Amino acid sequence: GENVEQHPSTLSVQEGDSAVIKCTYSDSASNYFPWYKQELGKGPQLIIDIRSNVGEKKDQRIAVTLNKTAKHFSLHITETQPEDSAVYFCAASISGFQKLVFGTGTRLLVSP
Amino acid sequence: GAVVSQHPSRVICKSGTSVKIECRSLDFQATTMFWYRQFPKQSLMLMATSNEGSKATYEQGVEKDKFLINHASLTLSTLTVTSAHPEDSSFYICSAREAGLSYNSPLHFGNGTRLTVT
């Protein structure tokens, strides 16, 4: 089955810096890659997603890139703000299957 | 749009009792809902896939008789933790995908239920 690895496990940046979180997946049949933000005591919130037919997607300060050949995808947050502090999860799903497989999570801390 | 409501947000129960958690899709219909369990500082572990009008599909290692799932309508799935024990204490989260959309479309999550078994 699919396996998703996520790095780093923790990331500390200064306000205004950029943050990059990387994930690799094992199954080349995966074709959907969402990113979720989870704040303490809450459920995950979808922040951006990408499908395998595109290589990059942007939404304001957030972007995701996908390299199908290398089987990795990354989340880029620019001009970070303290409210970006949370745990971020990447995920992948295999074509034809309903389930999402989650990465292990990255705790992002943005210091003022 | 795409709001998933989970209730209760917190519950404390005594060992041996049962607890029911509700998951509702408020503004969309969901033929499939998913139940996850999350331990502190860990990732989400899929427990089961809940299918409207049919039996749930459980992941390997998840006891179907202990974690009863019912998906009686297109907007409601329930998870009942039966004969709860302290080791069942965890954060339980449901998610749903809008009916009719492909599998590579967003899953929307509830805000979770913190279960503490004393």
Side-chain angles (χ1 to χ4, degrees), chain B:
Chain B
V3 177
V4 175
S5 175
Q6 197 170 333
H7 180 81
S9 57
R10 291 177 178 270
V11 58
I12 301 172
C13 71
K14 292 188 175 182
S15 187
T17 62
S18 295
V19 173
K20 180 183 284 189
I21 302 169
E22 291 188 348
C23 179
R24 294 181 183 272
S25 55
L26 296 187
D27 50 2
F28 65 98
Q29 294 183 330
T31 50
T32 304
M33 293 185 176
F34 303 87
W35 287 95
Y36 291 84
R37 182 173 182 177
Q38 187 177 35
F39 290 104
K41 297 186 178 181
Q42 293 192 22
S43 189
L44 290 83
M45 181 189 78
L46 179 64
M47 299 175 64
T49 302
S50 169
N51 303 295
E52 188 265 335
S54 65
K55 291 184 178 181
T57 304
Y58 290 81
E59 295 299 301
Q60 191 173 7
V62 177
E63 298 177 61
K64 62 177 68 175
D65 294 331
K66 181 165 190 62
F67 298 101
L68 299 179
I69 291 172
N70 183 276
H71 193 155
S73 78
L74 288 172
T75 59
L76 174 65
S77 176
T78 59
L79 169 68
T80 301
V81 183
T82 62
S83 187
H85 288 92
E87 56 265 31
D88 298 324
S89 298
S90 191
F91 193 51
Y92 293 88
I93 315 173
C94 71
S95 68
R97 178 179 288 119
E98 187 172 348
L101 297 185
S102 67
Y103 293 164
N104 61 352
S105 57
L107 272 185
H108 305 284
F109 283 80
N111 267 332
T113 296
R114 173 75 58 194
L115 171 63
T116 302
V117 184
T118 61

Side-chain angles (χ1 to χ4, degrees), chain A residues 18-97:
Chain A
S18 295
V20 180
I21 303 170
K22 298 181 179 181
C23 288
T24 59
Y25 59 98
S26 60
D27 198 319
S28 57
S30 291
N31 67 344
Y32 176 61
F33 309 92
W35 284 88
Y36 288 86
K37 175 183 180 182
Q38 187 178 26
E39 297 178 340
L40 191 62
K42 295 186 177 181
Q45 178 186 12
L46 179 70
I47 56 173
I48 196 168
D49 58 6
I50 192 168
R51 292 171 179 80
S52 59
N53 57 344
V54 299
E56 183 175 3
K57 183 177 179 180
K58 289 184 179 180
D59 183 3
Q60 299 182 5
R61 297 186 296 109
I62 295 173
V64 56
T65 58
L66 171 66
N67 183 327
K68 288 189 294 183
T69 302
K71 290 189 284 188
H72 67 69
F73 56 113
S74 300
L75 177 71
H76 305 252
I77 305 175
T78 58
E79 300 173 27
T80 54
Q81 301 166 4
E83 49 265 40
D84 293 330
S85 297
V87 179
Y88 291 81
F89 290 98
C90 63
S93 73
I94 300 172
S95 176
F97 289 85

Side-chain angles (χ1 to χ4, degrees), chain A residues 8-15 17-19 80 106-111:
Chain A
S9 57
T10 58
L11 179 59
S12 295
V13 299
Q14 292 292 122
E15 182 177 3
D17 288 349
S18 295
T80 54
T106 296
R107 187 171 301 275
L108 174 64
L109 176 62
V110 181
S111 302

Side-chain angles (χ1 to χ4, degrees), chain A residues 94-106:
Chain A
I94 300 172
S95 176
F97 289 85
Q98 300 190 72
K99 297 188 292 187
L100 276 182
V101 177
F102 283 84
T104 48
T106 296

